[in-house]
């Protein structure tokens, strides 16, 4: 018994070490957020804990032009992009998993192929496309909708593939059980499958969230007005703007920005519990 | 079920289109002048921008100015995308070393005929005016300039018994040695310079009468391996090794910023733009002074790199007359004086007033006005050469010859 | 099935048989349509444009015209004859191999570790990983720059204090290997959470009884992993590996911001940077397009093994 416990303790100690190593830069960011700029720039040796913790940095950045506007913009972009992308991807994943149709293999390879395109090579033509959207005669440059569409297309391939992978992992017996229950094929599919593929939906949503939240190159390229930019662009401007980089402010802003992502993940995680599969198969 | 799915999908698409339509709808009622300025203006002199916008809008009913701030790192890439999409801003701020390539590409409108529209055009600073002209025509309006100065710790210099600014480079080296003798803090060097900071390093080359490149017989030739240039590079190497930390041999001035090193009490003097004095740390604001870098010839100043910006009107703009009017408002005498008040060099000689900044502008050098100059900069050819020289990886002559070959190749491209 | 349905619903369901068959047959296409439409709308024109300008002498000097003189495959041959291209390619392949291996192996190991932790520790580690993932690359780069600062960076300080040698004043970006090594730590660090979370989610689909049965039988853990766990998570691992290859081969933002334009030289190029420098900095768009297409072909070749596996497992079901 004690050997087992010893092993368990060992694993948990390792877990804590991994935690410490991974989180160190984040810790550095947060602790710097509470330091005064004089302490940050003036000290010759790195200070592990802020000597005179202050909230000055936080108040300074939240009052800077467009901070909250850009946070709002980012939230809009991300939520719309995720919602649409996850729905579209799930539908396509179901089609790929359940049905044998001509062009299925081609579609799969196409999804991967699309990911092989170097994004920065597409900067100019995408800009041209969004500046003169055909049929709709819109200029979507400098508008969030242009960016949203780009982000959706960026996360779709991975999302489709991942959800398909999760669908494949679901034992056939469950589907059959659902169909015997009397629902139509598709109805059973959605009602039974949704909870089972939940972990996959979580992973894909979080992935889409993070990609959109952190994306830099296209947001920078397509959004010019301070009022329509996303928070990554705001941060980049903050870094490149001031003559002397305001480290404290930058770290404070970054800390604030990281919070919604953590919040989102915790929220999604709690609503869709892992391990539902186990119960279903045993039952 | 599948109909429900279709309905959801269709609704989502419809909603996005409506949203996009309504988002773009508002801009058709009045005219907008789109101006691209660098963030320096947003942080440093927002009141100047506001004054220009006010003056412009007062004279142009129904127009409003939309200033979009850009960063030096990628504003050219963004500008290229707008050129390709025929969606350019109406006014754009360009660095003076960036102008030539775009003028050669026909990206800007010819404003030679409208020169009289701008205040003090007769007295524009030579360096800036040169950067705004191509093939005898005017394509840009000088905006402001910046020169290079030594920013130093008055208290440490006083402690070392230095009473006045050094009159020659040799004297300066001696003074710095004196400061070092008085300070034994670990890691302290009397001078800090990023080894590959070519804006500062090439001042030594020009001080000895050398140059980067010249145009003759229809081709560009790199001239860093000429006798005079090599003398300058050797002087730089000697000065660096005597006064600056070895660890900075391959560093650039972006990271760490010299003023950060200054604020950490690791050095007593730095060489860079005049605005460095802004950021030397709360502890040392009262003991920060500036003087012009001395030449190796006693009594003279070392030529400093004349950085600066110009404003230009993209050729594809549909509001060129309005763009010119805005530029005139922005570079008015009053505005230029305001820019001067916050530490910049104004765009005209008749506005100079003898501050240390303005004095530095009198002795200056500028990069070769070649179509592909900005490619030499971005290819880091000069930085590589300086790193090789300071680390001893290559002899000064060899490093200079390699750089010359690369510069000639780059500048002579079609 | 029809009888039960009628009984459940309470009234007869009658639809013309042919129409029903067609409607049923069109279901997969309808489900796939949204994705196809979005991808086509966003990527069709850019791909066409890229191919078109790769065959033209398209630079800043022809940008305003929108089209440059046709030069056939000259861009491709120029790139393929450029030493810098081949050196960069080799460097990038090695870079990709290192990054992908560290990311996938490290991520899987941490996911397996997560399964063995007590709940509080697991939650702590998960939240930590999410915080890492939530940090925008733009900011992470700044933290890295700060930590590797030549004079007072925490990395030099810790290494010197722990007596690993005298790292005082050590420049971590003084050589291409060191610079790209730093980039690797940043990239792998940032990529791990994603792999961990995805693999962990996949692990939840491994039938618990099978694992227990194998353990009761006395099989060692690596055996359990190989025979029970791996088959279930294999599709996800292939996908993650494939994506990591794609992504690490073309990586740009992190390397560009970390090393910085003033220090970027052909000696420390990776393909993403090489493309950016050629296309966007030197404004040689046609050449850049040729490089993009070559990158596409090369990365396709690099990932073909995984793509085949992924598509094949699709056929088994």
């Amino acid at each position: 018994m004690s050997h087992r416990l010893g092993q368990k303790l060992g694993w948990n100690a390792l877990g804590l070490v991994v935690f410490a190593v991974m989180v160190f830069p984040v810790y550095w960011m947060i602790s710097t957020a509470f330091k005064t700029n004089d302490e940050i720039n003036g000290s010759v040796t790195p200070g592990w804990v802020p000597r005179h913790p202050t909230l000055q940095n936080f108040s300074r950045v939240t009052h800077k032009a467009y901070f909250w506007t850009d946070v709002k913009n980012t939230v809009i972009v991300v939520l719309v992009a995720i919602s649409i992308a996850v729905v579209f991807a799930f539908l396509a994943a179901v089609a790929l998993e359940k049905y044998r149709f001509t062009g299925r293999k081609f579609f799969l390879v196409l999804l991967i192929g699309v990911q092989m395109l170097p994004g920065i090579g597409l900067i100019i033509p995408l800009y041209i496309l969004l500046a003169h959207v055909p049929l709709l005669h819109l200029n979507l440059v400098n508008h969030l909708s242009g960016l949203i569409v780009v982000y959706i297309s960026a996360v779709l391939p991975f999302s489709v593939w991942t959800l398909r992978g999760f669908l494949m992992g679901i034992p056939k017996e469950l589907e059959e059980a659902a169909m015997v229950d009397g629902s139509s094929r598709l109805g059973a599919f959605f009602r039974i499958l949704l909870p089972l593929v939940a972990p996959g939906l979580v992973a894909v949503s979080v992935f889409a969230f993070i990609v959109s939240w952190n994306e830099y190159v296209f947001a920078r390229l397509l959004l010019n007005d301070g009022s329509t930019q996303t928070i990554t662009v705001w941060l980049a401007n903050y870094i490149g703007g001031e003559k002397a980089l305001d480290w404290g402010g930058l770290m404070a802003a970054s800390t604030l920005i990281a919070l919604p992502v953590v919040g989102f993940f915790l929220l999604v995680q709690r609503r869709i519990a892992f391990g539902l599969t186990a119960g279903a198969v045993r039952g | 079920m599948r109909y429900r799915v279709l309905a959801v999908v269709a609704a989502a698409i419809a909603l996005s289109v409506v949203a996009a339509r309504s988002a773009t709808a508002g801009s058709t009622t009045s005219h907008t002048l789109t101006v691209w300025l660098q963030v320096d203006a947003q942080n440093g002199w927002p009141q100047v921008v506001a004054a220009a916008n006010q003056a412009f809008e007062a004279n142009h009913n129904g127009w409003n100015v939309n200033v979009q701030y850009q960063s030096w790192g990628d504003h050219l890439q963004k500008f290229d995308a707008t050129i390709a999409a025929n969606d350019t801003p109406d006014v754009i701020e360009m660095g003076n070393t960036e102008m030539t390539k775009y003028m050669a590409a026909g990206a800007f409108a010819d404003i030679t005929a409208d020169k009289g529209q701008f205040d003090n055009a007769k007295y524009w600073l030579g360096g800036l005016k040169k950067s705004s002209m191509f093939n005898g025509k005017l394509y840009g309006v000088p905006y402001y300039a910046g020169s290079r100065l030594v920013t130093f710790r008055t208290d440490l210099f006083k402690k070392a018994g230095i009473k006045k600014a050094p009159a020659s480079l040799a004297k300066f080296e001696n003074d710095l040695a004196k400061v070092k003798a008085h300070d034994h803090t670990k890691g302290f060097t009397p001078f800090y310079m990023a080894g590959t900071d070519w804006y500062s390093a090439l001042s030594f080359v020009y001080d000895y009468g050398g140059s980067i490149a010249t145009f003759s017989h229809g081709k560009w030739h790199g001239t860093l391996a000429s006798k005079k240039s090599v003398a300058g590079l050797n002087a730089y190497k000697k000065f660096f090794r005597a006064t600056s930390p070895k660890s900075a041999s391959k560093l650039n001035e972006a990271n760490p910023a010299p003023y950060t090193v200054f604020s950490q009490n690791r050095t007593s003097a730095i060489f860079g733009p005049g605005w460095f004095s802004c950021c030397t740390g709360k502890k040392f604001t009262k003991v920060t002074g500036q003087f012009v870098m001395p030449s190796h010839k006693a009594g003279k100043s070392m030529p400093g790199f004349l950085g600066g910006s110009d404003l230009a009107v993209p050729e594809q703009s549909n509001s060129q007359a309005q763009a010119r009017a805005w530029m005139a408002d922005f570079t008015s005498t009053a505005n230029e004086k305001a820019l001067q008040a916050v530490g910049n060099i104004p765009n005209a000689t008749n506005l100079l007033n003898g501050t240390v900044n303005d004095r530095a502008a009198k002795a200056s050098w500028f990069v070769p006005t070649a179509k592909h100059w900005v490619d030499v900069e971005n290819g880091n050819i000069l930085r590589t050469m300086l790193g090789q020289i300071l680390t001893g990886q290559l002899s000064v002559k060899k490093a200079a010859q390699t750089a010359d070959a690369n510069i000639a190749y780059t500048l002579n491209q079609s | 099935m029809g009888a039960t349905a009628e009984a459940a619903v309470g009234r007869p369901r009658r639809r013309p048989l042919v129409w029903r068959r067609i409607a049923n047959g069109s279901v997969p296409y309808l489900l796939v349509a949204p994705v196809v439409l979005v991808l086509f709308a966003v990527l069709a024109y850019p791909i066409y444009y890229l191919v078109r300008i790769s065959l033209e002498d398209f630079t800043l000097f022809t940008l305003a015209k929108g089209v440059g003189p046709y030069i056939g495959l000259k861009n491709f041959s120029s790139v393929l004859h450029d030493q810098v291209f081949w050196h960069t390619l080799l460097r990038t392949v090695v870079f990709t191999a290192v990054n992908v291996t560290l990311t996938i192996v490290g991520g899987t190991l941490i996911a397996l570790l997560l399964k063995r932790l007590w709940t509080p520790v697991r939650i702590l580690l998960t939240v930590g990983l999410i915080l890492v993932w939530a940090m925008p690359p733009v900011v992470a780069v700044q933290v890295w720059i700060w930590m590797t600062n030549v004079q007072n960076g925490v990395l030099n300080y810790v290494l010197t204090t722990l007596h690993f040698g005298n790292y005082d004043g050590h420049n971590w970006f003084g050589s291409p290997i060191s610079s790209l090594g730093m980039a690797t730590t940043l990239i792998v660090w940032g990529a791990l959470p994603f792999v961990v979370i995805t693999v962990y989610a996949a692990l939840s689909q491994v039938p618990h009884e099978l694992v227990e049965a194998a353990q009761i039988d006395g099989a060692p853990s690596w055996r359990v992993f190989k025979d029970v766990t791996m088959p279930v998570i294999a599709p996800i691992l292939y996908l993650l590996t494939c994506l990591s290859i794609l992504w690490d081969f073309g990586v740009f933002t992190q390397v560009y911001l970390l090393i910085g334009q003033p220090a970027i030289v052909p000696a420390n190029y990776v393909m993403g940077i090489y493309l950016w420098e050629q296309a966007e900095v030197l404004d040689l768009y046609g050449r850049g397009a040729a490089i993009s297409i070559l990158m596409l072909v090369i990365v396709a070749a690099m990932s073909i093994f995984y793509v085949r596996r992924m598509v094949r497992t699709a056929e088994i079901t």
Side-chain angles (χ1 to χ4, degrees):
Chain A
M1 206 75 245
S2 73
H3 170 71
R4 252 332 243 327
L5 187 62
Q7 248 198 353
K8 260 292 196 191
L9 274 174
W11 288 127
N12 280 283
L14 183 60
L16 288 172
V17 168
V18 172
F19 171 78
V21 171
M22 286 297 285
V23 156
F24 180 72
V26 182
Y27 165 75
W28 198 252
M29 171 182 86
I30 298 178
S31 106
T32 308
F34 288 97
K35 291 182 190 165
T36 59
N37 267 324
D38 283 329
E39 188 191 337
I40 298 169
N41 285 320
S43 60
V44 175
T45 50
W48 301 103
V49 180
R51 240 165 271 152
H52 306 285
T54 172
L55 287 176
Q56 265 180 7
N57 297 324
F58 288 94
S59 77
R60 187 170 55 249
V61 292
T62 48
H63 284 107
K64 267 213 174 275
Y66 299 126
F67 179 75
W68 291 115
T69 318
D70 289 354
V71 170
K72 182 193 75 162
N73 290 336
T74 316
V75 171
I76 294 176
V77 168
V78 168
L79 287 182
V80 175
I82 300 181
S83 322
I84 298 181
V86 172
V87 167
F88 284 18
F90 184 66
L91 296 177
V94 166
L96 285 171
E97 160 62 2
K98 270 285 104 200
Y99 297 86
R100 297 184 165 272
F101 57 97
T102 1
R104 173 178 167 211
K105 215 161 163 189
F106 172 74
F107 181 63
L108 274 174
V109 176
L110 185 73
L111 286 177
I112 295 284
V114 154
Q115 298 256 270
M116 296 183 188
L117 290 166
I120 46 178
L122 300 174
I123 290 177
I124 293 204
L126 261 175
Y127 191 97
I128 298 175
L129 176 68
L130 288 172
H132 310 283
V133 178
L135 300 178
L136 298 173
H137 298 294
L138 290 169
N139 183 346
L140 289 181
V141 169
N142 225 15
H143 290 284
L144 297 179
S145 31
L147 198 64
I148 290 174
V149 168
V150 172
Y151 286 173
I152 292 176
S153 63
V155 303
L156 273 178
F158 168 75
S159 307
V160 174
W161 267 98
T162 310
L163 289 176
R164 201 190 121 251
F166 277 95
L167 286 174
M168 272 167 29
I170 291 170
K172 270 233 174 281
E173 309 85 58
L174 288 170
E175 290 182 48
E176 257 119 60
M179 293 211 260
V180 167
D181 255 349
S183 346
S184 76
R185 193 173 182 201
L186 218 52
F189 209 65
F190 285 107
R191 228 170 301 136
I192 302 296
L193 245 39
L194 223 40
L196 294 181
V197 84
L201 287 176
V202 172
V204 164
S205 311
V206 178
F207 165 77
F209 189 101
I210 302 243
V211 165
S212 315
W213 190 260
N214 289 339
E215 201 280 327
Y216 171 71
V217 179
F218 285 100
R220 201 67 179 177
L221 174 79
L222 293 173
L223 304 174
N224 281 315
D225 272 327
S227 58
T228 52
Q229 286 171 340
T230 58
I231 201 66
T232 342
V233 186
W234 188 95
L235 282 170
N237 285 335
Y238 199 72
I239 294 171
E242 307 278 345
K243 281 290 197 286
L245 179 54
D246 174 11
W247 285 102
L250 178 67
M251 296 301 144
S254 312
T255 309
L256 287 176
I257 287 160
L259 294 177
V261 184
V262 181
F264 177 77
F265 177 77
L266 292 176
L267 184 78
V268 183
Q269 224 243 47
R270 205 178 298 139
R271 280 171 160 261
I272 306 174
F274 286 11
L276 267 174
T277 346
V281 173
R282 234 179 250 137
Chain B
M1 183 64 202
R2 67 190 83 108
Y3 304 115
R4 253 180 279 162
V5 166
L6 272 180
V8 168
V9 167
I13 296 178
L15 262 171
S16 332
V17 174
V18 168
R21 263 258 143 96
S22 59
T24 49
S27 47
T28 49
T29 47
S30 63
H31 298 286
T32 306
L33 192 76
T34 309
V35 174
W36 280 16
L37 288 177
Q38 300 304 94
V39 283
D40 309 8
Q42 188 183 33
N43 298 314
W45 43 94
Q47 72 280 18
V48 172
V49 181
N53 290 346
Q54 238 181 355
F56 176 82
E57 284 167 9
N59 285 330
H60 293 83
N61 231 327
W63 282 80
N64 82 309
V65 184
N66 182 11
V67 180
Q68 298 175 336
Y69 291 102
Q70 310 293 330
S71 298
W72 289 109
D74 58 9
H75 80 128
L76 288 181
Q77 283 77 35
K78 291 176 73 168
F79 185 41
D80 292 348
T82 63
I83 295 176
N86 204 5
D87 188 34
T88 61
D90 299 303
V91 178
I92 181 170
E93 173 184 347
M94 299 283 287
N96 56 357
T97 57
E98 298 173 335
M99 283 291 284
T100 316
K101 190 171 186 186
Y102 282 79
M103 290 193 290
F108 298 134
D110 180 354
I111 56 175
T112 324
D114 308 288
K115 191 169 165 197
Q117 214 180 338
F118 308 106
D119 283 357
N120 307 311
K122 270 202 296 255
Y123 301 102
W124 276 341
L125 285 181
L128 288 184
K129 185 160 125 193
K130 212 162 141 196
S131 68
S132 304
M133 298 192 65
F134 188 74
N135 281 345
K137 301 210 182 87
L138 182 73
Y139 292 95
V141 177
Y143 169 5
Y144 73 102
S147 186
R148 307 256 139 181
L149 294 172
V150 175
T151 306
F152 73 105
R153 287 275 298 278
T154 53
D155 57 337
L156 292 180
F157 271 50
K158 197 159 159 202
K159 201 165 78 167
I162 302 162
K163 297 212 170 58
K164 56 185 170 78
S168 73
L169 193 62
K171 182 89 184 16
F172 189 27
E173 220 179 288
N174 277 336
D175 286 348
L176 289 171
K178 275 194 219 157
V179 173
K180 182 157 184 198
H182 276 84
D183 199 307
H184 302 285
T185 326
K186 182 163 178 277
F188 180 90
T189 51
F191 194 72
Y192 178 84
M193 217 174 137
T196 64
D197 178 0
W198 63 273
Y199 300 97
S200 305
L202 262 70
S203 293
F204 287 74
V205 169
Y206 281 89
D207 190 40
Y208 276 78
S211 61
I212 299 176
T214 49
F215 189 76
S216 66
H217 306 315
K219 275 185 19 177
W220 282 98
H221 304 270
T223 50
L224 288 166
S226 72
K227 245 171 77 187
K228 290 188 178 159
S229 301
V230 168
L233 287 173
N234 271 315
Y236 173 64
K237 182 174 172 180
K238 177 169 176 286
F239 186 79
F240 182 91
R241 289 218 168 144
T243 60
S244 299
K246 191 156 163 227
S247 58
S249 300
K250 276 180 115 176
L251 296 180
N252 60 68
E253 69 279 13
N255 171 38
Y259 49 76
T260 308
V261 181
F262 192 96
S263 71
Q264 288 166 348
N265 203 11
R266 286 170 166 267
T267 190
S268 69
I270 54 181
F271 184 32
W275 55 255
F276 268 8
S277 57
C278 75
C279 319
T280 48
K282 234 188 265 183
K283 260 195 284 182
F284 306 121
T285 325
K286 293 216 166 74
V287 292
T288 302
Q290 292 184 318
F291 59 81
V292 183
M293 184 76 154
S295 162
H296 71 287
K297 297 196 192 112
K300 291 202 181 293
S301 308
M302 182 182 282
F305 176 72
L306 196 73
S309 295
D310 302 314
L311 298 168
V313 179
E315 173 68 27
Q316 291 161 309
S317 160
N318 292 322
S319 323
Q320 295 191 10
Q322 288 79 9
R324 288 194 302 269
W326 187 89
M327 292 196 301
D329 288 331
F330 192 71
T331 56
S332 65
T333 308
N335 269 352
E336 287 293 324
K337 290 219 166 108
L339 287 172
Q340 190 178 37
V342 289
N344 298 304
I345 299 177
N347 65 356
T349 52
N350 64 330
L351 298 173
L352 295 176
N353 62 11
T355 59
V356 66
N357 226 349
D358 295 346
R359 271 182 280 134
K362 291 226 164 76
S364 66
W365 62 272
F366 194 61
V367 297
T369 37
K371 189 164 82 167
H372 281 286
W373 170 257
V374 72
D375 294 341
V376 171
E377 268 186 38
N378 287 324
N380 294 324
I381 296 175
L382 295 171
R383 293 193 194 273
T384 309
M385 174 190 77
L386 293 170
Q388 290 165 334
I389 289 175
L390 293 177
T391 54
Q393 191 188 343
L394 287 180
S395 71
V396 170
K397 195 140 176 96
K398 198 82 203 334
Q401 281 168 341
T402 315
D404 276 345
N406 286 331
I407 291 173
Y409 177 77
T410 310
L411 293 183
N412 287 322
Q413 286 172 82
S414 60
Chain C
M1 178 180 146
T4 340
E6 278 174 19
V9 172
R11 54 180 161 82
R13 280 164 145 210
R14 269 182 302 149
R15 283 198 181 115
L17 221 54
V18 174
W19 187 82
R20 188 159 208 207
R21 211 177 292 140
I22 294 175
N24 263 330
S26 68
V27 167
Y29 294 101
L30 283 175
L31 291 174
V32 168
V35 171
V36 172
L37 280 172
V38 170
L39 289 179
F40 183 80
V42 175
L43 295 172
Y45 176 72
I47 294 175
Y48 152 74
Y49 185 90
L50 209 66
V51 173
R52 199 202 82 202
I53 68 171
S54 73
L55 303 171
E56 294 172 1
D57 178 21
F58 196 64
T59 65
L60 179 65
F61 304 105
T62 49
L63 193 62
K65 288 194 219 111
V67 64
Y70 178 78
I71 53 169
L73 294 172
K74 281 226 188 82
N75 280 326
F76 289 94
S77 88
S78 150
V79 170
L80 290 172
H81 280 99
D82 187 359
Q83 269 222 330
V84 175
F85 170 76
W86 292 105
H87 288 157
T88 307
L89 178 59
L90 180 63
R91 196 178 305 120
T92 314
V93 168
V94 173
F95 180 78
T96 308
V98 171
N99 277 276
V100 172
T101 310
L102 288 174
T103 309
I104 300 295
V105 172
T108 309
L109 289 175
I110 297 179
L112 289 169
L113 176 66
L114 267 181
K115 281 243 163 244
R116 291 158 196 255
L117 298 176
W118 287 323
T119 311
V121 182
R122 178 168 65 237
I123 291 184
L124 187 68
L125 184 50
T126 310
V127 172
L129 288 171
I130 293 296
L131 278 172
V132 170
W133 203 9
M135 212 159 144
V138 181
V139 177
V141 167
Q142 291 302 313
V143 174
W144 246 249
I145 289 177
W146 185 251
M147 293 198 301
T148 56
N149 188 304
V150 174
Q151 260 112 10
N152 66 342
V154 81
L155 186 58
N156 283 346
Y157 180 75
V158 166
L159 286 176
T160 312
T161 317
L162 290 180
H163 299 294
F164 276 104
N166 183 16
Y167 280 92
D168 204 22
H170 182 90
N171 181 5
W172 291 97
F173 296 95
S175 74
I177 286 200
S178 187
S179 304
L180 290 177
M182 283 293 115
T184 299
T185 62
L186 173 63
I187 291 171
V188 172
W189 175 85
L192 275 175
F194 170 54
V195 176
V196 172
I197 305 246
T198 313
V199 173
Y200 184 75
L203 285 175
S204 72
Q205 293 195 323
V206 175
H208 203 75
E209 320 76 55
L210 287 179
V211 174
E212 280 179 354
Q215 285 173 335
I216 289 172
D217 272 346
S221 3
W222 63 267
R223 200 68 199 284
V224 175
F225 179 74
K226 179 166 159 287
D227 295 333
V228 181
T229 318
M230 257 303 257
V232 178
I233 66 172
I236 286 293
L237 281 185
Y238 287 135
L239 174 65
L240 288 172
T241 309
C242 186
L243 281 173
S244 289
I245 294 176
L246 266 44
W247 191 71
D248 287 337
F249 185 77
V251 72
F252 169 72
T253 307
Q254 280 86 343
V255 183
Y256 184 73
L257 293 178
L258 185 65
I259 299 183
Q261 172 71 32
I264 287 178
V265 283
N268 59 26
Y269 277 179
V270 284
M271 287 307 282
I273 305 274
Y274 176 56
L275 170 59
W276 176 265
E277 294 289 316
Q278 290 285 304
E280 296 291 333
V281 177
L282 295 178
D283 304 316
L284 302 169
Y285 303 109
R287 204 155 189 268
I291 297 173
S292 296
I293 294 175
L294 287 171
M295 278 174 76
L296 172 67
V297 170
I298 292 167
V299 86
M302 279 175 80
S303 57
I304 189 83
F305 168 76
Y306 296 97
V307 175
R308 270 235 189 95
R309 281 294 185 102
M310 284 156 68
V311 176
R312 203 179 304 150
T313 51
E315 296 306 301
I316 293 172
T317 41

